[in-house]
Amino acid sequence: MRVSTLVICVDRDNDIGEKAGLETPILGREASIAAATRLGLADSEDSDINAIFEAIRVYDRLKSENAGSVEIALIAGDKNLGIVSDRKIGEELDKVLSSLEAESVILVSDG
């Protein structure tokens, strides 16, 4: 599928997986809301919750502006920050980009 803009939210330390028990990548608005909710219930103070909701807000704004086809994806690294985490992020990014052929990408992160 080809999209004009892909909004990507990166959880570098994989709180989505470690705290909420979810596997990434996660695609789509509803799945992103569900992931943020599940993470919020697991740890209401995790900064990744705000990053996910910001990515959803950006996605919604682009949709309302008729900015072409838009998709949202959540990707995560690993609790072992550094090379291990960065490699996993790269692998997940490659997986998402190979399935969505995005013309442009907007990155949202908590850091």
Side-chain angles (χ1 to χ4, degrees):
M1 177 168 83
R2 187 164 186 81
V3 296
S4 298
T5 306
L6 174 62
V7 180
I8 295 181
C9 182
V10 177
D11 172 10
R12 191 160 185 246
D13 59 357
N14 192 28
D15 289 331
I16 292 172
E18 295 294 322
K19 295 178 182 178
L22 298 172
E23 288 188 31
T24 53
I26 296 171
L27 297 175
R29 184 183 189 278
E30 297 308 315
S32 297
I33 290 172
T37 301
R38 190 158 166 180
L39 180 56
L41 291 171
D43 181 356
S44 62
E45 296 182 2
D46 193 300
S47 61
D48 290 304
I49 300 163
N50 288 330
I52 296 169
F53 280 119
E54 174 62 13
I56 295 166
R57 188 186 71 78
V58 169
Y59 169 90
D60 287 347
R61 188 180 75 228
L62 291 169
K63 291 291 270 188
S64 72
E65 294 173 354
N66 295 318
S69 57
V70 182
E71 187 57 88
I72 183 171
L74 310 181
I75 63 175
D78 189 272
K79 67 181 177 181
N80 297 310
L81 294 176
I83 293 173
V84 172
S85 179
D86 294 344
R87 282 187 176 151
K88 184 169 181 277
I89 289 168
E91 290 167 6
E92 291 198 4
L93 181 59
D94 286 345
K95 184 186 292 186
V96 170
L97 291 176
S98 70
S99 68
L100 290 179
E101 295 183 36
E103 293 175 19
S104 66
V105 173
I106 297 174
L107 174 66
V108 178
S109 174
D110 69 339

